[in-house]
Amino acid sequence: MAPIPAVGDVLPPYRVAAVEPDKIRIMALVLRDPNPIHYDVEAVRAAGMGDREVNQGGVTMAYVVNMLAAWTGSRAAVRSIECRFSANVFAGDAVDVGGAVRAVREVAGERLVDCEVWADRGDGVRAIHGTATVALPFT
Amino acid sequence: MSALVELDALRMALDGRELPGAELTVEAHESALADHAMLAPAEGTDHAHPLWLLVLALRGMGITVDELCLLAEKRPQDTLLFGNCTIAQHRPVRVGHRLRTRASVGPVVRKESRGGGVLDFVTVWVEVHDLSAPSNGPVGAVTEGFIFKRGA
């Protein structure tokens, strides 16, 4: 990572090659989400949503956090993230996560970097769009 | 088929409603399993993944999502969508620490969809406090934006 990011810098991209259905099932337990579209393909079909398990929107959001943590070097650096969910991600989908710097601020001795962030399905459909702020140390 | 709830009744049921909240802990095994499922590399710290704030918010409303649906008078033909989410992490959530959530419902907003249907926007706000360091303020806050897409 460059020591001082600049407005317009593109964040190092993060890619999930294929969302695994068993990981969706684990997160259904963690989130205590009883919705069967996350673990029962018949329920997905009955809902008219296709024939693959639906990834939780929060987990796709977690991929965005992973990108920010990889860029900054720590989870603690992620100060805020706001996401709008616009499309479902399904088991087997690739997910491409990206971001770009929109502002750099100094607040109370910290360098805060505001970013635009997104997560696209492998077919190009945008699943998440939002903003995030990370704190970077002065170097 | 039941009728769509009137907006005034929906607001009466939900606007500003304080939810019970809860006391919770991010257990080490759950943190490890969630890291695995979220494809998050281990950090070698006791810092939980920031998405745990959302997990704590969902677990810590003090009511289940099904109970929220009852309050919103969700009918079989209505669909619940998770429309947006904001997570503010003031400090990392620490694995193994006892946490307390405070939760409330924000103002309900009703809009017409592009297709002429009815969308009810229900926002739940949850603040997470670490009981081992309560004087330091909340570790984070989450705004969950639920959308009830009302069927015909």
Side-chain angles (χ1 to χ4, degrees):
Chain A
M1 182 183 68
I4 304 175
V7 173
D9 281 357
V10 173
L11 308 193
Y14 176 93
R15 182 163 225 258
V16 176
V19 174
E20 296 175 39
D22 285 351
K23 291 188 167 63
I24 299 174
R25 291 184 173 89
I26 292 170
M27 287 309 294
L29 283 172
V30 170
L31 290 157
R32 297 185 182 161
D33 183 345
N35 193 332
I37 63 171
H38 302 306
Y39 60 85
D40 181 353
V41 171
E42 285 307 317
V44 181
R45 286 196 187 101
M49 300 172 76
D51 57 4
R52 291 179 288 153
E53 297 87 345
V54 180
N55 202 28
Q56 294 87 356
V59 177
T60 307
M61 189 175 181
Y63 303 152
V64 179
V65 173
N66 292 349
M67 174 193 68
L68 296 167
W71 181 52
T72 59
S74 89
R75 297 169 172 179
V78 180
R79 294 304 168 83
S80 68
I81 178 167
E82 178 273 327
C83 289
R84 290 184 304 285
F85 304 101
S86 50
N88 285 316
V89 171
F90 298 92
D93 281 341
V95 182
D96 290 300
V97 181
V101 174
R102 294 295 177 237
V104 181
R105 301 176 282 141
E106 289 184 18
V107 177
E110 284 191 312
R111 177 177 290 130
L112 298 181
V113 182
D114 301 320
C115 303
E116 180 183 0
V117 294
W118 57 83
D120 294 340
R121 288 195 321 223
D123 61 3
V125 171
R126 182 139 297 177
I128 280 181
H129 189 214
T131 57
T133 297
V134 298
L136 296 179
F138 289 101
T139 55
Chain B
M1 194 171 286
S2 56
L4 174 65
V5 60
E6 294 290 335
L7 181 57
D8 285 347
L10 194 60
R11 286 180 167 156
M12 189 81 75
L14 287 169
D15 270 13
R17 187 186 187 103
E18 295 288 330
L19 301 177
E23 281 195 23
L24 308 152
T25 301
V26 179
E27 303 291 353
H29 70 284
E30 288 189 299
S31 175
L33 285 166
D35 280 355
H36 169 72
M38 293 188 288
L39 308 173
E43 276 203 345
T45 69
D46 66 351
H47 298 169
H49 191 284
L51 198 86
W52 269 97
L53 284 162
L54 173 59
V55 177
L56 293 164
L58 288 166
R59 290 184 181 182
M61 288 192 293
I63 62 170
T64 65
V65 171
D66 285 345
E67 288 167 328
L68 181 69
C69 289
L70 282 176
L71 288 170
E73 298 199 28
K74 178 182 176 294
R75 306 164 300 168
Q77 68 268 37
D78 299 340
T79 304
L80 174 63
L81 306 169
F82 195 42
N84 59 76
C85 177
T86 300
I87 297 173
Q89 177 177 248
H90 307 311
R91 303 192 306 283
V93 171
R94 313 295 282 272
V95 174
H97 283 212
R98 198 68 184 151
L99 305 160
R100 172 79 204 173
T101 57
R102 293 172 47 205
S104 60
V105 183
V108 177
V109 175
R110 175 165 286 180
K111 293 182 180 176
E112 189 173 308
S113 71
R114 284 184 211 146
V118 173
L119 302 172
D120 288 325
F121 293 79
V122 176
T123 300
V124 176
W125 176 82
V126 181
E127 195 171 68
V128 180
H129 295 259
D130 187 330
L131 293 177
S132 67
S135 60
N136 292 345
V139 295
V142 176
T143 305
E144 305 161 285
F146 297 99
I147 303 171
F148 291 87
K149 182 180 176 187
R150 305 298 189 176

